[in-house]
Amino acid sequence: MNTELVNTVKETFISKFNTDPLLVFSPGRINIIGEHTDYNDGFVFPAAVDKGIYVAIQKSTSQDCTVIALDLKEHINFSLQTLKPLEVGRWENYILGVVAEIKKAGKSIGNFNAVFKGDIPAGAGMSSSAALENSIVFSLNALFELKLSKEDMILISQKAEHNYAKVKCGIMDQYASMFGMENNALHLDCRNVTSKPYKINFKAYQLVLINTNVKHNLSDSAYNERRATCERISKLLNAKALRDVKEKDLERIKAQIPEEDYNKALYVIQENTRTINAAKAIAQNDLETLGRLIFESHKGLSTMYKVSCNELDFLVQEAKNSTVVLGARMMGGGFGGCTINLIEKEASKTFTETLAKAYKKTFNRDCSIYHVKLANGTHIINANNSF
Ligand code: GLA
């Protein structure tokens, strides 16, 4: 736990609102494999991490609600009676969206104040937005005794993202952030929203994230377009979702659809199979196979699903050229953010230092290296600041 952040949000809250807050942590997530499969009712393999959003929150007796985003040094005042989305891209939409969706679910809340701060950068593809949504719904559920289950809460967070942030996301991020388990990754079936935890034995390897520190424009609209394409194709095949489609089914309509749509659907079908195979490889402690599947995933994301970018492709290619990396791929929605890498522990420092130099030389920009631990999902932090 980041004690410094806990203390910062707590002290800021007390100095602004003169009362003791409830403290909640909600983690970001990584995803080992299974990208863009969640909204196709498929499989994903995420884990919550030890970095995320810390919120200090309490009921308020004033006429409206105040939420302070400490990282941005911004705040919003709003009334529970007049909720509407702000322009796309604003952080406030995550808060307003969650509150609106709680009301839509027939639950009633009173005014509140909150202060939040995080230790995952927005745009890193580590789901700081899902962490923020979950932190708000979870803490409001506790403060106002709403009796929402964790399943209810993640659906509220997801709807906030759909209706206020205007991204038609799947359920992976909110699920991983809410249900994460220390030292485990979750093999999640996005159709019935249940998961099996896997304790991964990384042996002489470790997971390292490398942030390109870029987030290209239009990523949200490209995301929504990809989802629409997948839905169009599954409809054409009378399937509920691409999860139900086999490669040979897709082959039958190949001539009727644009080649790029065919490639996108084929990617999803293959990625879903890779994710199932990854679970088998992990169960057998077969890191080589896992690594190979991770590289294949990137290739599909880049050349077929077309959600990568030069910076991500460069980082993955360098990893591929090296003998100390078993697997690497872009992670999350794409068009920037992080790659996830399975790197030999002993060689990790040298590899990432050399890579950072090459990245800087090529793009005139620094990349960032993150080491993360697989951690528990959204939870209240005790008064003594321990888990
Ligand atoms: C974003 C979305 C998720 C998922 C990934 C891609 O993180 O929020 O629902 O679709 O992209 O796998």
Side-chain angles (χ1 to χ4, degrees), residues 268-316:
V268 171
I269 297 168
Q270 293 178 343
E271 179 75 352
N272 204 39
T273 307
R274 276 192 287 270
T275 308
I276 294 167
N277 290 339
K280 289 183 192 149
I282 289 171
Q284 290 163 3
N285 277 334
D286 180 358
L287 292 184
E288 281 72 22
T289 301
L290 177 65
R292 186 175 49 72
L293 293 167
I294 290 175
F295 274 133
E296 282 172 11
S297 168
H298 184 81
K299 191 166 178 217
L301 285 159
S302 178
T303 62
M304 296 164 81
Y305 212 60
K306 299 219 182 286
V307 289
S308 187
C309 60
N310 290 340
E311 293 86 348
L312 288 165
D313 287 344
F314 176 86
L315 292 179
V316 172

Side-chain angles (χ1 to χ4, degrees), residues 29 31 34-39 44 125 127 129 158 161 167-174 223 331-334:
R29 61 107 189 89
N31 185 25
E35 218 63 88
H36 289 276
T37 42
D38 63 347
Y39 53 82
V44 289
S127 291
S129 60
Q158 186 192 28
E161 190 103 20
V167 179
K168 291 276 193 190
C169 66
I171 199 66
M172 168 170 74
D173 303 350
Q174 290 78 10
Y223 184 94
M331 191 180 77

Side-chain angles (χ1 to χ4, degrees), residues 113-125:
N113 297 316
V115 174
F116 73 89
K117 189 169 170 59
D119 54 2
I120 34 175

Side-chain angles (χ1 to χ4, degrees), residues 105-366:
K107 300 283 178 180
S108 123
I109 58 167
N111 287 329
F112 66 93
N113 297 316
V115 174
F116 73 89
K117 189 169 170 59
D119 54 2
I120 34 175
M126 291 172 71
S127 291
S128 56
S129 60
L132 178 57
E133 291 149 5
N134 279 356
S135 74
I136 298 296
V137 68
F138 192 89
S139 49
L140 291 176
N141 183 54
L143 278 184
F144 295 100
E145 295 172 37
L146 303 179
K147 300 199 165 55
L148 294 165
S149 66
K150 286 186 171 182
E151 284 80 3
D152 297 332
M153 289 191 261
I154 61 171
L155 291 177
I156 286 173
S157 291
Q158 186 192 28
K159 283 187 197 139
E161 190 103 20
H162 287 190
N163 299 330
Y164 272 64
K166 309 286 183 201
V167 179
K168 291 276 193 190
C169 66
I171 199 66
M172 168 170 74
D173 303 350
Q174 290 78 10
Y175 186 95
S177 168
M178 184 67 76
F179 287 94
M181 281 172 66
E182 196 173 358
N183 296 325
N184 282 271
L186 307 174
H187 193 232
L188 169 65
D189 180 338
C190 297
R191 169 156 281 163
N192 57 26
V193 196
T194 54
S195 68
K196 185 173 169 205
Y198 282 72
K199 209 171 225 157
I200 307 177
N201 176 2
F202 286 112
K203 299 188 250 186
Y205 292 84
Q206 62 181 2
L207 288 177
V208 179
L209 304 182
I210 307 177
N211 192 352
T212 56
N213 289 322
V214 297
K215 185 77 195 162
H216 292 292
N217 284 339
L218 300 176
S219 59
D220 290 351
S221 56
Y223 184 94
N224 292 340
E225 274 163 34
R226 299 291 181 287
R227 182 172 183 154
T229 302
C230 293
E231 288 171 355
R232 212 167 45 238
I233 293 181
S234 57
K235 204 162 165 209
L236 210 57
L237 283 159
N238 283 325
K240 192 157 173 247
L242 282 184
R243 181 231 181 97
D244 306 304
V245 175
K246 302 261 175 299
E247 286 189 31
K248 63 174 185 341
D249 302 327
L250 185 64
E251 217 51 52
R252 282 197 284 117
I253 57 158
K254 190 173 180 181
Q256 298 166 42
I257 56 175
E259 193 184 350
E260 66 247 35
D261 288 5
Y262 168 83
N263 284 332
K264 289 193 177 91
L266 184 59
Y267 158 78
V268 171
I269 297 168
Q270 293 178 343
E271 179 75 352
N272 204 39
T273 307
R274 276 192 287 270
T275 308
I276 294 167
N277 290 339
K280 289 183 192 149
I282 289 171
Q284 290 163 3
N285 277 334
D286 180 358
L287 292 184
E288 281 72 22
T289 301
L290 177 65
R292 186 175 49 72
L293 293 167
I294 290 175
F295 274 133
E296 282 172 11
S297 168
H298 184 81
K299 191 166 178 217
L301 285 159
S302 178
T303 62
M304 296 164 81
Y305 212 60
K306 299 219 182 286
V307 289
S308 187
C309 60
N310 290 340
E311 293 86 348
L312 288 165
D313 287 344
F314 176 86
L315 292 179
V316 172
Q317 190 54 48
E318 293 291 304
K320 218 169 187 169
N321 294 344
S322 137
T323 52
V324 299
V325 185
L326 280 187
R329 63 178 202 85
M330 57 150 272
M331 191 180 77
F335 304 102
C338 290
T339 59
I340 182 167
N341 303 264
L342 191 51
I343 310 183
E344 214 175 281
K345 268 187 217 153
E346 296 273 295
S348 177
K349 192 162 180 285
T350 317
F351 169 75
T352 50
E353 280 172 4
T354 313
L355 179 58
K357 280 192 200 127
Y359 185 80
K360 174 94 184 182
K361 201 168 161 213
T362 311
F363 297 104
N364 196 23
R365 178 192 292 278
D366 288 316

